[in-house]
Amino acid sequence: MLNAIDKELLKGVADLEDIPKGAYNIRKNGELMGREVSANINIETNEAGNGIIITIKPGTQNESVHIPVILSQAGLHDVVYNTFIIGEDSNVTIVAGCGIHCGSSQSEGHSGIHEFRIGKNAQISYVEKHLAIGEGEGKRTLNPTTKIFMEENAHAEMELTQIGGVDEAKRMNEAELGPGCSLLVSEKVLTDGTQNAESKNELILKGEDSRANLVSRSVIRGDSNQDFFVQLTALAKCFGHIECDAIIMDNGTNQTMPALKAEHPGAELTHEASIGKIADDQLIKLMSLGVSYDDAVNKIIQGFLQ
Amino acid sequence: MLELKNITFTAPGTDVEPPRTIIDRLSHTFETGKLYAVTGPNGSGKTTVAKIIMGINAQASGSVLFEDRDISDWSISERAKAGIAYAFQHSARFKGITFRDLLAISLGTDDEDKLVEIIARVGICSMDFLDKPVDAKLSGGEIKKIELATVIATNPKLAIYDEPDTGIDLWTIDPMVELLKKEKEQYGTTTIVVSHNRTFLEAADQLILLRRGKIAYSGDLEGALPMLRDLSICTFTDTCEGVADVECYR
Ligand SMILES: Nc1ncnc2c1ncn2[C@@H]1O[C@H](COP(=O)(O)OP(=O)(O)OP(=O)(O)O)[C@@H](O)[C@H]1O
Ligand SMILES: [Mg+2]
C-alpha cells in the first residue's frame, strides 16, 4: 500500500517505517489512506468532511496516535481541520506531521488546523514534523495552525519541527491555559535558499498557577528569512518564559519579537532572545577536539535543533 | 617535544589605546612526559601563551615547534589531530550539546563502553554527568570537570590545562592533581598546568613563572619561593600608581 516515496515521507515526519501500531489515520493527497481506531482512541471524519475528530477516552494511559499527512500530487493544496478531544486524566502521545514530495514545477501545499481540547489532569505530548523533499521546482507551502484549550491541571508538551525543504511556512500557535496547567512549546525551524518562515504565537495564561514555557530555535541559512512573534499574556498569578535563539548563517535575515503582557499583579513573565552567528568559543572548542571547521558547524547546528 | 621560539603576541590597538605587547620574545623548551606548572599574576599572559600553542591565538612573530615540526601556521584542528589538547580557562557553553556529545567527539566514537571507560579513567566526573547539557546551567566546578574530561578523552601527547582547579571543591583538588600525574606516568603525556594553586605547583617537575609576558623564572619550586614571596611580582603596583587612596596589601 505504501510506495517508496510514501515511506520516505512517513519516516521523515513520523519516524514510521511502516503502518503504525495502535490508532492512526494516514492522509495521502487529500484522501484517507488508512485508519485504525483502538478501544480508547476513536477517529472519525468530521461533519463537514474536511478533517477528523480524534477522541481520547478519559483515563486512557500511555497510548499513542499517529496522524501523518503525505502529499505527492502536483498542484494540490490540501486543507484539513482536525479536532482532538482529550479526556480527563488521560496520558497520550500524538504524532502528527506533514511530508511533501514535489516532483514537478507545480506548487503543493498543506494547511492543517489543529484544535486541542485538553481535559482536566490530562497530559499530552504532541510531536509535529514538517518536511518537503523531491526534485521538482514547485513551491512547497505548509501553513499549520494549532489552537490549544487547556482545562484545570492539564499538561501539554508540543514539539514542532520544520526540518527542511519548505519554501513558505506560516505558522500560528494559540493557547489558553486554565488553572494549574503547564505548557511547553518547543519550535525548531531550519530554512535555506530563499525560503521564508513565519511563526506567530499567542499564549494566554488564564488560570492561577499556570505555567508556559516557549523555546524557539531557528537556523537561517542561505538567503532565507524567518520571523518569529510571540505574545505571552498573563491574566492571573502565573509564570511564563520565552526563549528564542536564532543562528544566522550566510546571508539569512531574522526578526524576533517577544512580547510580554501582564494584566495581573501576580504575573511573572520573562524572556530571552538572541540573534547571531554561531559563537566562536563553541566552534573553537570543537576544533580543539580535532574536528574540522565545517564539522564543528554541523555538530553545533545539529545539537541546537535536536 | 614542544619548543616556543621567540614568541611575541601583540594585542591590536583601539581608537583610544595603541597596540600592546602581551607576550614578549618568549622562548621555552618542554620535554616529553614532564609536568609543568605555569603561574604568574593575573594578566601576565598565561592563557595567551596556551592559546598560541593550541593555535587559537596567532603570534606576531616567533615559532612553535611540536615534535620537531614547525606548526606555527597549523590550524586548531590540525594541532588537535597531531596530539595537542587545551582545557579552556573559560569553557564554551552550548545549546543542545551534552557532555556525551563532547566526549564522543573527543574519542571519535559514541560507543557506550568507550564512554564509560573514559569516565572511569578520569574518575572525577560521575556517570550521571553523561547526559547533562553543556549549557549555561552547569556549575563552575561541573564545567571544569567536563572540560578536563574532554581533553583526556582525546588521548593527547601534550595536554594544557588552564586553571583546571577554579571552582573545584576541596575534595576534588587532590584527586585532580593525582589524575594529571597518573596520566603523565601511564601515557607519557606532556602536561602543562596553568594554576595559582600551590598543590599543582608542588606536583610539577618544573615551575614556570610568567610576568608581563616574559618568563621571570623557570626551575623547581624551591628556587621560585623567594620570587613568589616578592611583592614586586604584584602587578597591582602598576595599576595602583597615582591613585592616592590605594595601597598594596600583599
Ligand atoms: N585578543 C586580545 N586582545 C586584547 N587584549 C588581550 C587579548 N588577549 C589577551 N589580552 C590581554 O593580555 C593580557 C594577558 O591576558 P591573559 O589572559 O593571557 O592573562 P592570564 O595570565 O591568563 O591571566 P589570569 O590569571 O587572570 O587568567 C591581559 O591584559 C588581557 O587583557
Ligand atoms: Mg588566564
Side-chain angles (χ1 to χ4, degrees):
Chain A
M1 186 163 85
L2 296 174
N3 64 33
I5 291 175
D6 296 346
K7 284 192 176 177
E8 188 179 350
L9 289 173
L10 281 178
K11 177 90 182 81
V13 298
D15 218 9
L16 289 173
E17 298 287 352
D18 215 315
I19 298 292
K21 290 191 179 60
Y24 68 83
N25 188 91
I26 303 177
R27 184 180 172 94
K28 182 183 171 183
N29 296 333
E31 279 163 32
L32 181 63
M33 189 187 187
R35 175 181 296 173
E36 189 69 53
V37 300
S38 75
N40 294 320
I41 302 177
N42 187 49
I43 305 175
E44 59 192 345
T45 304
N46 65 12
E47 241 173 63
N50 58 7
I52 52 176
I53 301 174
I54 295 133
T55 312
I56 316 277
K57 265 196 195 159
T60 302
Q61 285 303 308
N62 301 318
E63 286 194 38
S64 66
V65 51
H66 287 79
I67 52 153
V69 171
I70 51 183
L71 228 65
S72 54
Q73 183 185 326
L76 185 70
H77 283 262
D78 188 24
V79 182
V80 291
Y81 295 83
N82 295 341
T83 308
F84 300 79
I85 299 168
I86 320 283
E88 293 182 5
D89 302 305
S90 58
N91 180 344
V92 285
T93 301
I94 299 161
V95 182
C98 179
I100 298 184
H101 178 272
C102 185
S104 78
S105 58
Q106 275 184 280
S107 67
E108 289 176 35
H110 175 80
S111 301
I113 296 102
H114 286 182
E115 184 175 316
F116 293 84
R117 305 203 158 265
I118 310 175
K120 278 185 195 165
N121 303 318
Q123 292 191 24
I124 72 156
S125 163
Y126 176 73
V127 183
E128 182 190 276
K129 282 187 190 157
H130 283 163
L131 166 74
I133 54 173
E135 305 305 309
E137 299 277 292
K139 193 170 181 176
R140 310 109 195 249
T141 316
L142 279 169
N143 297 328
T145 299
T146 311
K147 293 181 181 177
I148 309 163
F149 301 94
M150 300 171 76
E151 282 178 30
E152 222 166 306
N153 295 323
H155 176 78
E157 277 180 30
M158 322 287 289
E159 201 181 298
L160 315 167
T161 315
Q162 183 180 311
I163 316 159
V166 181
D167 294 305
E168 186 77 40
K170 272 195 162 60
R171 170 180 289 286
M172 178 86 211
N173 297 320
E174 291 173 3
E176 277 185 30
L177 284 75
C181 288
S182 67
L183 172 68
L184 172 67
V185 181
S186 91
E187 193 178 302
K188 283 152 193 182
V189 181
L190 171 80
T191 51
D192 203 344
T194 55
Q195 294 165 0
N196 185 48
E198 178 192 278
S199 172
K200 283 189 172 159
N201 299 268
E202 268 190 58
L203 311 183
I204 304 175
L205 292 146
K206 270 192 161 166
E208 186 161 320
D209 293 326
S210 53
R211 302 174 75 85
N213 193 353
L214 188 145
V215 178
S216 151
R217 295 203 173 150
S218 306
V219 174
I220 306 139
R221 285 205 190 127
D223 296 314
S224 67
N225 174 64
Q226 287 189 36
D227 293 328
F228 184 81
F229 306 94
V230 51
Q231 171 149 325
L232 201 55
T233 305
L235 303 181
K237 172 179 164 286
C238 63
F239 174 86
H241 181 64
I242 307 169
E243 190 184 316
C244 5
D245 293 290
I247 294 182
I248 295 192
M249 301 170 77
D250 317 315
N251 296 310
T253 49
N254 174 256
Q255 186 178 183
T256 296
M257 300 186 69
L260 306 175
K261 192 171 162 192
E263 296 191 357
H264 190 281
E268 224 178 291
L269 305 176
T270 50
H271 78 75
E272 289 169 54
S274 77
I275 303 178
K277 292 199 185 333
I278 297 178
D280 271 347
D281 63 341
Q282 296 181 6
L283 286 169
I284 290 173
K285 172 64 188 170
L286 296 196
M287 290 192 284
S288 79
L289 298 177
V291 301
S292 67
Y293 176 86
D294 288 344
D295 287 347
V297 168
N298 286 338
K299 288 207 151 66
I300 292 166
I301 296 298
Q302 241 176 45
F304 184 71
L305 289 178
Q306 135 228 301
Chain B
M1 70 105 54
L2 175 74
E3 208 184 331
L4 303 178
K5 275 186 166 170
N6 235 347
I7 301 276
T8 296
F9 178 82
T10 318
T14 60
D15 294 346
V16 284
E17 274 179 72
R20 194 156 62 98
T21 302
I22 308 292
I23 302 299
D24 189 7
R25 288 161 295 163
L26 183 146
S27 296
H28 196 76
T29 303
F30 298 84
E31 287 167 33
T32 308
K34 281 199 168 171
L35 175 60
Y36 295 84
V38 178
T39 195
N42 297 130
S44 56
K46 304 179 295 296
T47 298
T48 306
V49 173
K51 287 188 172 174
I52 287 171
I53 300 170
M54 191 70 236
I56 300 164
N57 282 345
Q59 69 273 19
S61 63
S63 47
V64 182
L65 273 69
F66 181 65
E67 296 185 314
D68 301 322
R69 281 178 295 180
D70 190 333
I71 61 162
S72 302
D73 56 3
W74 289 23
S75 69
I76 302 170
S77 322
E78 285 169 327
R79 294 181 200 214
K81 287 202 193 92
I84 305 177
Y86 172 58
F88 288 76
Q89 179 176 5
H90 303 290
S91 313
R93 310 282 185 145
F94 297 85
K95 285 199 164 157
I97 288 189
T98 61
F99 180 35
R100 178 190 292 276
D101 298 331
L102 288 185
L103 271 190
I105 294 170
S106 302
L107 283 166
T109 168
D110 58 4
D111 185 85
E112 187 76 21
D113 293 342
K114 291 271 181 336
L115 293 175
V116 170
E117 213 174 275
I118 200 75
I119 293 211
R121 172 169 156 192
V122 172
I124 58 170
C125 300
S126 72
M127 280 308 166
D128 52 77
F129 264 40
L130 258 185
D131 290 306
K132 276 198 185 214
V134 183
D135 61 13
K137 290 192 191 98
L138 283 178
S139 79
E142 285 169 339
I143 187 90
K144 278 291 178 185
K145 291 179 181 177
I146 285 173
E147 187 71 36
L148 183 137
T150 59
V151 162
I152 290 182
T154 65
N155 245 324
K157 292 179 188 165
L158 168 66
I160 309 165
Y161 301 97
D162 200 340
E163 303 200 16
D165 51 313
T166 318
I168 292 294
D169 59 58
L170 289 172
W171 297 270
T172 313
I173 298 266
D174 288 340
M176 188 184 267
V177 175
E178 287 311 310
L179 168 65
L180 299 194
K181 277 201 207 159
K182 195 185 79 190
E183 284 292 312
K184 179 190 86 164
E185 273 145 30
Q186 284 189 357
Y187 303 92
T189 317
T190 308
T191 308
I192 303 175
V193 184
V194 176
S195 181
H196 303 288
N197 190 323
R198 193 165 175 124
T199 325
F200 278 106
L201 307 189
E202 282 166 357
D205 299 309
Q206 200 189 103
L207 179 77
I208 297 166
L209 195 87
L210 225 61
R211 192 191 169 207
R212 292 188 189 157
K214 284 183 190 268
I215 294 182
Y217 171 87
S218 97
D220 59 12
L221 176 59
E222 209 164 311
L225 288 177
M227 292 191 83
L228 291 177
R229 277 190 223 109
D230 183 358
L231 287 183
S232 71
I233 282 288
C234 177
T235 50
F236 296 141
T237 50
D238 306 341
T239 21
C240 302
E241 235 171 332
V243 183
D245 300 335
V246 179
E247 265 181 74
C248 186
Y249 289 101
R250 283 183 66 173

Short mmCIF file of all heavy atoms in Angstrom, two decimals, chain B residues 240-247:
data_model
loop_
_atom_site.label_atom_id
_atom_site.label_comp_id
_atom_site.label_asym_id
_atom_site.label_seq_id
_atom_site.Cartn_x
_atom_site.Cartn_y
_atom_site.Cartn_z
N CYS B 240 47.92 50.61 40.56
CA CYS B 240 47.63 51.47 41.71
C CYS B 240 48.36 52.80 41.63
O CYS B 240 47.98 53.76 42.27
CB CYS B 240 48.02 50.77 43.01
SG CYS B 240 47.20 49.19 43.23
N GLU B 241 49.42 52.82 40.86
CA GLU B 241 50.25 54.02 40.79
C GLU B 241 49.40 55.25 40.50
O GLU B 241 48.56 55.24 39.60
CB GLU B 241 51.30 53.86 39.69
CG GLU B 241 52.70 54.07 40.22
CD GLU B 241 53.73 53.70 39.18
OE1 GLU B 241 53.45 52.85 38.32
OE2 GLU B 241 54.80 54.29 39.22
N GLY B 242 49.63 56.29 41.27
CA GLY B 242 48.94 57.53 41.00
C GLY B 242 47.59 57.62 41.66
O GLY B 242 46.97 58.66 41.70
N VAL B 243 47.10 56.50 42.18
CA VAL B 243 45.81 56.55 42.87
C VAL B 243 46.10 56.75 44.35
O VAL B 243 46.67 55.89 45.01
CB VAL B 243 45.00 55.27 42.64
CG1 VAL B 243 43.63 55.36 43.31
CG2 VAL B 243 44.85 55.01 41.16
N ALA B 244 45.72 57.89 44.86
CA ALA B 244 46.16 58.31 46.19
C ALA B 244 45.75 57.36 47.32
O ALA B 244 46.55 57.01 48.17
CB ALA B 244 45.63 59.71 46.48
N ASP B 245 44.50 56.87 47.28
CA ASP B 245 43.99 56.14 48.43
C ASP B 245 44.30 54.65 48.41
O ASP B 245 43.92 53.91 49.29
CB ASP B 245 42.47 56.30 48.53
CG ASP B 245 42.11 57.75 48.67
OD1 ASP B 245 42.96 58.50 49.17
OD2 ASP B 245 40.99 58.12 48.28
N VAL B 246 44.98 54.19 47.37
CA VAL B 246 45.16 52.75 47.24
C VAL B 246 46.55 52.34 47.72
O VAL B 246 47.56 52.95 47.41
CB VAL B 246 44.96 52.33 45.76
CG1 VAL B 246 45.18 50.84 45.61
CG2 VAL B 246 43.57 52.72 45.32
N GLU B 247 46.56 51.28 48.52
CA GLU B 247 47.84 50.74 48.97
C GLU B 247 47.87 49.27 48.57
O GLU B 247 46.83 48.63 48.48
CB GLU B 247 47.91 50.80 50.48
CG GLU B 247 48.60 52.02 51.02
CD GLU B 247 48.62 51.97 52.54
OE1 GLU B 247 49.42 51.19 53.08
OE2 GLU B 247 47.82 52.68 53.16
#
